[in-house]
Amino acid sequence: MPKNDSPSVAMFSTHEFERPGFEHYAGSDLSMTYHETSLSEKTAPLAEGHDAVCCFSEDDVGAGAIRRLADAGIKLIALRSAGFNNVDLRAADRHAIPVVRVPAYSPSAVAEHAMALILCLNRKIHKAHNRVRELNFSLEGLEGFDLHGKTFGIIGTGKIGEQMARIAHGFGCKVIAFSKEKSDALVEEGWTEYLDFDEVIEQSDILSLHVPLTPETRHLIDEDALGRMKKHTMLINTGRGALIDAGALIRSLKKGGIGAAGLDVYEEEEGVFREDLSDQVLQDDTLARLLTFPNVLITSHQAFLTREALDNIAETTVDNILGYFRSAELRNEVRVDRNVASGAD
Ligand code: NAI
C-alpha cells in the first residue's frame, strides 16, 4: 500500500448534519469531496481521482459498485456506520480493497431514542402537542400507563441493549432479556433476568429490539412471535427494519394483537427514510398502512442522530482513513469471514 499523508476521500450519501463533524478535520491534510447522492454501481465513477470512498448505511456497496471503485483506483472503503450488510465483503476482498467501519459511536443515543419513542407513544405526546396547538385542551384519549413496575424485555444486550436495560431499570421497570451473549456488566449488576426468547416476548409489557440483522434474526418478530405477546405490549424497534415482518405487524395491529409499535427502522426504508418526499406520492403501501395506525409511531432512522454520535463517527472515520494511508494500519477492519448481514448502523 503506497504511503499517502494527504489522502483524498469521496464521501457518499452525505447529509448537512454530518458536515460539522467532518469539517473539524479539514486542516488535517485529508481532503473530502461531499456527494449527496448515494454510492451505487452507477455513481461509483464519481470516486475517480480519490484514494478512498466513505459510505453510510444507505449506500449500495455491492459487487458492481466495488468493481467500478477498483477501476477508479480506490484503495479503501471507510464506512461511517457500524453495520456492513450493504457491503459485498467478498467482492471487496477479491479487489483487495479493505473495508473499515465505526464499530460504536453512541449506544446511549440509540437507547435514549428508543425510550423517547416509548414515552411519546405511551403518554401520546405527539397527539397532545398537535391538540394544544389547535387550542384543544381536552384529555380524552390521552391515557397512558406507568412504566414503573412494568416488565421491560430486551432482545440483544450488546452495547445498545445494555444501555437500554440501564434506562429501563432507572424507570423502575423489571428488566428481562434474551441475548446470544449475555452482558457481563448486567449479570454482575444483578437486576436483569436472562430468559429464553419465548419467555421474554410472552412476559414483556414493553419489548425493545437491539440485535443485529443476520439471516438468523430476519423476521425474528413474525406472526408467531406477535401472537405470543400480551395484547397491550408495546414493541419498539431501533435495530433494523427486517427484524420485524411488517405484514405480520399490520395484521396483528389491525386485530388489536399488540398494544403499540414504535419504529425507527423499516424493512423497505431505503430510498424513503432520510429523504424529503413531502411532495410525492408514497409508493410503499405497507409503510402507508403503518402510518395510519394511531398506536404506531415512526421515525426516519434517526436514533443515532445526536451531536456526540456524529462527532464520534467523524473522529473514528478520519482516524481509520489516516491510519491506513499514513501508517498502513487497518483500524476497525471488517473482515470477510465476518460477512453477516449485521444491519447495524
Ligand atoms: P452489539 O453487537 O454490541 O450487540 C448486539 C447483541 O445482539 C449482542 O449482545 C449479541 O449477543 C446479540 N445477538 C446477536 N445475534 C443474536 C441472536 N440471533 N439472538 C439473540 N441475540 C443476538 O450491537 P449494538 O451496537 O448494540 O447494536 C445493535 C443494533 O442496533 C445494530 O445491529 C443496529 O441494527 C442497530 N443500530 C441502530 C441505529 C439507529 O440509528 N436506529 C444506530 C446504531 C445501531
Side-chain angles (χ1 to χ4, degrees):
M1 204 276 305
K3 193 164 155 32
N4 181 350
D5 280 342
S6 326
S8 62
V9 186
M11 315 264 294
F12 286 88
S13 297
T14 50
H15 302 272
E16 274 305 317
F17 57 72
E18 296 178 275
R19 292 208 187 184
F22 279 95
E23 269 154 24
H24 178 73
Y25 298 93
S28 61
D29 291 332
L30 182 75
S31 69
M32 287 167 270
T33 309
Y34 296 103
H35 296 292
E36 281 177 23
T37 185
S38 55
L39 177 67
S40 65
E41 183 171 0
K42 207 164 131 205
T43 60
L46 288 170
E48 195 102 34
H50 294 83
D51 301 295
V53 289
C54 184
C55 310
F56 213 24
S57 49
E58 55 255 58
D59 290 306
D60 171 10
V61 200
I66 290 172
R67 184 172 31 79
R68 301 193 79 168
L69 291 177
D71 292 345
I74 291 301
K75 298 170 200 73
L76 181 73
I77 297 171
L79 304 175
R80 307 197 290 290
S81 55
F84 44 87
N85 56 295
N86 53 334
V87 184
D88 187 330
L89 292 176
R90 289 181 204 286
D93 195 48
R94 271 199 307 280
H95 289 284
I97 306 178
V99 179
V100 291
R101 66 175 182 143
V102 183
Y105 33 88
S106 177
S108 302
V110 182
E112 287 172 16
H113 188 77
M115 184 48 95
L117 287 174
I118 293 164
L119 292 173
C120 188
L121 258 178
N122 177 27
R123 305 306 295 269
K124 305 182 176 64
I125 304 296
H126 52 314
K127 291 185 185 176
H129 176 66
N130 287 337
R131 261 188 209 186
V132 167
R133 280 158 58 101
E134 294 189 357
L135 307 186
N136 175 355
F137 297 97
S138 128
L139 297 183
E140 289 308 323
L142 297 185
E143 184 188 305
F145 58 84
D146 282 15
L147 281 178
H148 191 271
K150 294 294 182 296
T151 300
F152 196 115
I154 298 175
I155 307 292
T157 54
K159 292 178 284 296
I160 297 169
E162 193 180 290
Q163 284 302 108
M164 189 76 256
R166 294 220 169 82
I167 292 171
H169 182 62
F171 271 80
C173 295
K174 174 186 175 196
V175 181
I176 59 174
F178 167 73
S179 188
K180 205 176 225 175
E181 295 143 59
K182 292 182 184 174
S183 148
D184 292 341
L186 291 182
V187 169
E188 201 169 304
E189 286 163 40
W191 39 261
T192 301
E193 191 183 355
Y194 278 96
L195 300 171
D196 68 30
F197 177 71
D198 284 348
E199 289 173 314
V200 172
I201 60 170
E202 284 165 14
Q203 292 178 25
S204 296
D205 298 307
I206 301 126
L207 182 70
S208 197
L209 310 179
H210 301 287
V211 283
L213 177 64
T214 65
E216 205 183 343
T217 61
R218 180 171 293 274
H219 290 183
L220 186 71
I221 304 299
D222 58 8
E223 200 106 44
D224 177 62
L226 287 158
R228 288 168 185 274
M229 292 179 197
K230 294 179 186 173
K231 283 213 174 304
H232 62 258
T233 296
M234 183 185 281
L235 174 64
I236 303 296
N237 189 9
T238 57
R240 205 50 158 193
L243 296 177
I244 299 180
D245 176 346
L249 177 62
I250 289 173
R251 288 191 290 282
S252 170
L253 287 162
K254 271 172 84 175
K255 61 178 190 218
I258 64 164
L263 311 172
D264 185 52
V265 285
Y266 166 63
E267 191 164 3
E268 303 297 333
E269 68 183 52
E270 212 179 303
V272 179
F273 279 23
R274 298 183 183 163
E275 303 293 334
D276 180 359
L277 306 181
S278 52
D279 60 353
Q280 295 183 30
V281 174
L282 182 60
Q283 297 298 325
D284 184 325
D285 291 348
T286 305
L287 180 58
R289 184 69 180 95
L290 280 171
L291 287 166
T292 66
F293 288 100
N295 50 349
V296 173
L297 189 59
I298 298 179
T299 50
S300 183
H301 205 147
Q302 69 170 76
F304 73 101
L305 194 56
T306 65
R307 187 69 268 146
E308 290 79 1
L310 292 172
D311 288 347
N312 289 340
I313 289 172
E315 187 183 345
T316 307
T317 302
V318 169
D319 188 59
N320 287 345
I321 294 170
L322 292 181
Y324 184 60
F325 286 101
R326 290 184 175 168
S327 330
E329 262 178 50
L330 278 169
R331 298 172 188 158
N332 300 311
E333 186 185 12
V334 189
R335 294 179 193 281
V336 71
D337 57 357
R338 299 188 54 217
N339 192 2
V340 289
S342 90
D345 284 67

